[in-house]
Amino acid sequence: MNDNHFKFTTSVIGLPVFFVLFLWIVYWVQIRFDFDFYQYGIYPRDFLGLQGVLFSPFIHENLSHLYNNSIPLLVLLAALQFFYPKQSFAVIAYGILFSGFITWIIGRENFHIGASGLIYVLVSFIFFKGIQTGYYRLVALSLSVILLYGGMIWYVFPEVDKTISWEGHLAGFITGFAMSLMYKTPEYAKPIVYEWQKPDFNPEEDPFMKHFDENGNFVNTEIVEDEQEVLVTYFNSDVSVNYILTKSEVEEDR
């Protein structure tokens, strides 16, 4: 697989915009009609709390919470759709389910809401998958993700900020890493290595190099239609010159 695997389509913009727009619509409905959506979040180790595995990523506490999740989602979902189009929907769907279920198992007894768990899934998946492929474009993407969101790693520990769902962050990070191992990507094209770049290359045995003299000049001789004349072309690194000579002159020169 070569760089043609990476193609820009409308889904690269459409997917993140639609997803984030849906989050804002849910929040608008919540404040417009004074709905209490918090009860649909993840409540650990409670059977009814399992419904939050599906609903919690779409519920946010306030405008600041929603805004802080929206920007990373726009960037990461666009990157996911562009570089991993065949895996994008599976990563999103299973990422929500598995990270939510892990949160339900390990979380504190409180409602866990917000799309930050999915953000950690995306950061983890994109980073680890790019490193695993070893392909220069995807490795560069991994490094870019770390540069932008590397500081998020601290929020998987409870000591940093106990007011946030660090359990959801940790669950998302673990899920993203596991999915990077589970989903296979195509074999990307390796850099072309020419014969003369190989360590065992010997110019004296190469059929093409034998036509060059010690000064790097190459001479090619071919007979034109007139049997009395020969076209001789001399090449060097700077200029090529054609001479029309008679056969006798060529034989004398030889």
Side-chain angles (χ1 to χ4, degrees), residues 24 27 60-72:
W24 282 83
Y27 182 73
H60 291 82
E61 180 181 3
N62 51 46
L63 192 61
S64 177
H65 186 203
L66 176 59
Y67 175 78
N68 290 333
N69 283 342
S70 296
I71 302 302

Side-chain angles (χ1 to χ4, degrees), residues 229-242:
E229 294 180 339
V230 175
L231 173 62
V232 182
T233 304
Y234 296 92
F235 296 97
N236 60 38
S237 58
D238 298 320
V239 66
S240 62
V241 182
N242 295 335

